[in-house]
Amino acid sequence: MFNKLTVRDIDLREKRVLVRVDFNLPIDETGKIADDARIVAALPTINYIRECGGRVILMSHLGRPKGRVVERLSLKPVAKRLSELLGYEVKIIIDCLDEKVKEIISQMKEREVILLENLRFHPEETSNDPEFSKWLASLADLYVNDAFGTAHREHASTYGVTRFIPISASGFLLEREVTTLNKILTDPRRPFATILGGAKISTKIKVIKNLLGKVDILMIGGAMACIFLRAQGFAVGKSLIEEENVGVAREILSSAMEKGTPIVLPIDCIVAQEFKEESPIETVYRSKIPPEWGIVDIGHVTVDEFSKILEGAQTILWNGPVGIFEIDKFARGTEKIARILSTSKATTIIGGGDSVAAVNKFALADKMAYVSTGGGATLEFLSGRELPSIAGLTNK
């Protein structure tokens, strides 16, 4: 159960509501938003507060400006797109530390929405400065966090502010993310299959260890599979690999056997001389990887093996692509897995980060049961860690 207050549990009428959203979107140099999914995901909470007569003060970060004003990381394009979606002009406050902010907020009418400029223009945001947190809290009567993508950060707007405001509640998106991920960890429909990929095992060691014994089978692809193949004694050529974690991979393989969780690794691989579109490629079995070539994708036999496992699954969690999907030539394995999941009758959860980018690339996001908005937050949650931004919310 989700044991924190939500927007449903609090009186919002005539209240100034400070809402942390995650509008960290891909915006090109012309100011065009490439994907507005995170804005759309925040609309239910924003609209609910407005319908209840609240005054909405939105805040978010965008990119990594490192505590200084970077015009290309301004939230102005976000305010424009949000206005289009709401059918209502959303004003942006250029400097949230300006004393005039309180005057502007005091004049807000019911259902009005304003957006504070990129919080990370201020170094106090990422350092969780208590005075900055206190200032943000002073702008409103209530605080709502609907930014699951930043829930693993102890920043002023995600965690520090909860110490200085009477009531801190969850928005609908944050509640749904936590409830969905918690359910698959505690009460999934079985068989429960997981696919893990991506570049580094170091970012997913805790996730893998926490999933062992909880999932019925674990498939591993991407560059992360290379370290497990090395741990089993296979030569992996010039593949991307974290040599210092080969021992960790051996420990995980041993622990998986003890806990009865089969780990399925690539049987064959697509290999290339260079990680470039124009590079020649070959399909080889894992025991025959040429010394001067590197793994860039899973092979056809592996795709078929993964497919058979996925066909029998009732719950599927996918986190991390199984190849270098950014390069079309190396994206076939990832695309095939995505298409299998898009037609599966299982509960399919896409666990944030590059997995989401992959399903978006292949225009399959709307075919999945659930696509998480978190990247690092999803990984942290799956590793079993209590996320600080959620911990700081008021208990029911």
Side-chain angles (χ1 to χ4, degrees):
M1 290 180 63
F2 190 70
N3 65 349
K4 300 294 183 178
L5 286 181
T6 73
V7 285
R8 297 186 201 87
D9 304 313
I10 54 180
D11 180 11
L12 298 164
R13 184 170 178 77
E14 298 185 0
K15 297 293 194 304
R16 297 166 298 150
V17 188
L18 186 65
V19 185
R20 181 50 158 102
V21 286
D22 184 5
F23 289 163
N24 186 27
L25 312 173
I27 300 177
D28 65 22
E29 294 179 357
T30 67
K32 183 179 180 181
I33 296 174
D35 182 1
D36 66 359
R38 287 184 171 179
I39 302 179
V40 173
L43 291 179
T45 295
I46 295 170
N47 284 326
Y48 180 81
I49 296 171
R50 294 183 70 211
E51 288 164 7
C52 292
R55 300 166 170 86
V56 186
I57 307 155
L58 299 173
M59 56 180 180
S60 178
H61 77 282
L62 175 61
R64 297 180 178 178
K66 299 181 180 179
R68 56 192 178 87
V69 176
V70 179
E71 191 57 36
R72 66 180 177 80
L73 296 178
S74 170
L75 288 172
K76 291 174 185 175
V78 175
K80 180 181 178 182
R81 180 58 183 146
L82 180 59
S83 298
E84 293 170 351
L85 291 169
L86 290 175
Y88 166 89
E89 184 183 359
V90 176
K91 298 175 183 177
I92 185 166
I93 307 299
I94 299 303
D95 184 358
C96 68
L97 285 178
D98 192 319
E99 284 291 342
K100 293 180 181 178
V101 173
K102 287 190 177 182
E103 182 181 343
I104 294 170
I105 291 174
S106 69
Q107 295 173 1
M108 288 178 70
K109 299 176 182 178
E110 286 186 20
R111 300 169 58 88
E112 191 172 345
V113 182
I114 62 171
L115 173 65
L116 303 183
E117 182 57 283
N118 192 339
L119 293 169
R120 290 190 184 174
F121 284 176
H122 303 277
E124 298 90 346
E125 161 65 359
T126 54
S127 67
N128 193 23
D129 181 84
E131 291 303 316
F132 188 61
S133 301
K134 187 183 295 185
W135 170 261
L136 292 174
S138 73
L139 301 179
D141 303 303
L142 308 168
Y143 170 75
V144 170
N145 192 329
D146 210 28
F148 180 73
T150 63
H152 58 312
R153 305 291 190 192
E154 283 191 32
H155 290 173
S157 67
T158 61
Y159 177 73
V161 67
T162 63
R163 298 165 54 201
F164 301 103
I165 202 162
I167 296 176
S168 301
S170 164
F172 296 128
L173 174 62
L174 180 67
E175 178 192 24
R176 188 169 72 251
E177 290 272 13
V178 173
T179 302
T180 300
L181 293 174
N182 193 52
K183 182 172 176 57
I184 68 165
L185 289 178
T186 58
D187 186 28
R189 295 167 58 212
R190 295 190 183 275
F192 178 13
T194 295
I195 311 164
L196 290 181
K200 298 179 180 180
I201 187 177
S202 57
T203 61
K204 297 183 180 177
I205 291 172
K206 291 180 180 178
V207 175
I208 298 171
K209 289 182 176 179
N210 192 45
L211 290 176
L212 296 180
K214 292 185 173 73
V215 304
D216 297 302
I217 193 162
L218 176 59
M219 293 159 277
I220 297 179
M224 192 168 66
C226 301
I227 197 167
F228 286 96
L229 293 174
R230 172 71 66 81
Q232 289 188 332
F234 295 101
V236 294
K238 292 169 59 179
S239 304
L240 297 173
I241 189 168
E242 296 173 293
E243 291 284 355
E244 68 276 15
N245 283 315
V246 172
V248 174
R250 289 197 188 100
E251 290 174 10
I252 289 173
L253 291 169
S254 176
S255 180
M257 290 185 64
E258 292 174 5
K259 295 187 177 183
T261 303
I263 291 183
V264 181
L265 297 173
I267 301 165
D268 64 336
C269 315
I270 308 296
V271 294
Q273 289 181 314
E274 294 183 275
F275 302 146
K276 297 178 180 178
E277 182 75 47
E278 63 272 16
S279 178
I281 60 172
E282 289 185 11
T283 302
V284 299
Y285 282 99
R286 62 190 180 187
S287 59
K288 296 183 179 180
I289 298 169
E292 297 304 312
W293 295 56
I295 298 173
V296 295
D297 198 2
I298 57 174
H300 311 297
V301 176
T302 301
V303 170
D304 289 343
E305 181 67 17
F306 282 14
S307 298
K308 291 174 186 175
I309 295 168
L310 295 171
E311 283 172 5
Q314 292 296 310
T315 301
I316 303 168
L317 169 66
W318 183 22
N319 184 279
V322 295
I324 306 175
F325 78 99
E326 296 89 346
I327 298 175
D328 290 345
K329 200 172 186 177
F330 309 150
R332 292 167 189 165
T334 298
E335 181 175 4
K336 286 178 181 177
I337 294 298
R339 295 201 177 282
I340 291 167
L341 298 191
S342 71
T343 59
S344 173
K345 294 181 180 179
T347 301
T348 56
I349 295 116
I350 311 303
D354 286 340
S355 307
V356 175
V359 296
N360 283 334
K361 175 176 180 173
F362 307 127
L364 296 171
D366 61 342
K367 301 289 197 304
M368 307 298 174
Y370 195 78
V371 178
S372 176
T373 59
T378 304
L379 289 177
E380 292 280 0
F381 191 93
L382 293 175
S383 72
R385 180 193 173 202
E386 183 178 37
L387 305 186
S389 296
I390 297 171
L393 300 179
T394 307
N395 291 326
K396 282 189 176 180

